[in-house]
Amino acid sequence: MKKALLASALAPALIGTAMAAEPQQITVTLTSASPMSQGMAMVLANQMQEQGAQVDILLCDAAGALALKDAQGEALKPNNLTPVQLLDAALKKGATASVCALYLPNSNKTVDDLREGVTAAKPADMAARLLEPGRKVMGF
């Protein structure tokens, strides 16, 4: 009887510990052409990674240009980094990044034009990811 009571008392704590071990899943969707909006989205993506989150970045519309090999961008204060540099930093820390399914065919670009680490999103896969319980989705 005592063992059963102890087990039922410990179960919530053990479940809570197991759940805490799972990183928060975040999807950052970025469509803005604004360098400051792009920069802020990438700064927050990097900060969320540093705080233990698993970050997925979806780039579409004007923001899809960040995914291109030849992307440059405007350096933003206070750290004089471009949104592209911030995207690269997030990728190096384990973020995933993709361009939306509409970006490549509507920009006359191909997957060969994408920078290393960026893929073309598949709508069914992206929709499933966005529907995952507990996933947070942020749009910029």
Side-chain angles (χ1 to χ4, degrees), residues 59-62 64-65 67-68 99-111 113-114:
L59 304 166
C60 201
D61 201 9
L68 301 176
V99 292
C100 71
L102 300 176
Y103 181 74
L104 293 175
N106 289 288
S107 64
N108 296 317
K109 302 292 182 183
T110 70
V111 291
D113 295 312
L114 298 176

Side-chain angles (χ1 to χ4, degrees), residues 22-91:
E22 292 293 319
Q24 172 67 57
Q25 301 292 311
I26 307 283
T27 297
V28 175
T29 61
L30 179 56
T31 60
S32 177
S34 164
M36 278 195 269
S37 292
Q38 292 176 352
M40 195 70 247
M42 294 301 99
V43 164
L44 291 175
N46 278 279
Q47 287 297 313
M48 288 185 285
Q49 282 182 290
E50 289 178 19
Q51 294 180 33
Q54 172 55 49
V55 176
D56 297 317
I57 301 166
L58 177 63
L59 304 166
C60 201
D61 201 9
L66 296 176
L68 301 176
K69 288 177 184 174
D70 62 354
Q72 298 291 313
E74 174 183 334
L76 301 169
K77 295 176 182 176
N79 295 326
N80 294 318
L81 294 172
T82 67
V84 173
Q85 290 171 315
L86 293 165
L87 171 61
D88 286 342
L91 289 169

